[in-house]
Amino acid sequence: MKDIFEFTIMIHENLSEHVVDSFIAFIENNSVFWGGGYSENQINGGLYIDESVDININDFIKEFLTFFLHQEIKIDKIEINIEDFYSHSFEYDDFMKIHSSMPVHIGYWEV
């Protein structure tokens, strides 16, 4: 398995089972695995892919954020720490030009 990123999404209200089930369907549809959990006001964990699968980190992060922004929840904060391998190809400046008003912090971590 290859690490993609770790994330924490803090929400302002109770997280419904529907959002969690929809998230699981979203990541499975993208051939991604989730190791994490959730509580009433957050969802977090790490996302992984099979060694044989390659993803475009820029497209996947946009899809990931779009998924949560289209849910009927108020997001307080999103933190994403991209695995070092993918952080080199992540176009941070381009992303921030488009999404500067979002409560998103993107960093990286070395495995």
Side-chain angles (χ1 to χ4, degrees), residues 26 47 72 94:
F26 164 75
L47 297 181
E72 295 182 11
D94 292 341

Side-chain angles (χ1 to χ4, degrees), residues 24-74:
I24 292 169
F26 164 75
I27 61 171
E28 287 177 350
N29 190 48
N30 283 282
S31 301
V32 174
F33 301 96
W34 172 41
Y38 62 97
S39 65
E40 63 184 31
N41 68 347
Q42 77 171 345
I43 185 168
N44 60 37
L47 297 181
Y48 314 91
I49 55 175
D50 187 85
E51 293 284 340
S52 64
V53 175
D54 194 25
I55 64 164
N56 179 311
I57 190 66
N58 296 294
D59 293 342
F60 183 72
I61 287 181
K62 288 175 191 171
E63 290 174 24
F64 177 83
L65 293 174
T66 298
F67 168 82
F68 280 104
L69 295 173
H70 284 96
Q71 300 299 310
E72 295 182 11
I73 55 176
K74 183 179 180 309

Side-chain angles (χ1 to χ4, degrees), residues 1-110:
M1 296 296 234
K2 292 189 294 190
D3 297 310
I4 304 172
F5 60 77
E6 293 180 340
F7 70 95
T8 300
I9 299 175
M10 303 295 295
I11 60 171
H12 188 68
E13 62 228 23
N14 290 339
L15 184 63
S16 72
E17 290 291 325
H18 171 73
V19 171
V20 174
D21 291 343
S22 297
F23 174 63
I24 292 169
F26 164 75
I27 61 171
E28 287 177 350
N29 190 48
N30 283 282
S31 301
V32 174
F33 301 96
W34 172 41
Y38 62 97
S39 65
E40 63 184 31
N41 68 347
Q42 77 171 345
I43 185 168
N44 60 37
L47 297 181
Y48 314 91
I49 55 175
D50 187 85
E51 293 284 340
S52 64
V53 175
D54 194 25
I55 64 164
N56 179 311
I57 190 66
N58 296 294
D59 293 342
F60 183 72
I61 287 181
K62 288 175 191 171
E63 290 174 24
F64 177 83
L65 293 174
T66 298
F67 168 82
F68 280 104
L69 295 173
H70 284 96
Q71 300 299 310
E72 295 182 11
I73 55 176
K74 183 179 180 309
I75 296 173
D76 288 332
K77 178 173 63 171
I78 299 173
E79 293 182 8
I80 296 174
N81 288 308
I82 303 171
E83 195 277 329
D84 190 48
F85 174 79
Y86 287 106
S87 69
H88 297 294
S89 59
F90 180 65
E91 298 167 352
Y92 181 81
D93 292 339
D94 292 341
F95 177 85
M96 291 311 295
K97 285 178 190 173
I98 297 168
H99 303 318
S100 62
S101 64
M102 293 174 44
V104 177
H105 169 75
I106 297 180
Y108 75 96
W109 103 93
E110 295 181 41

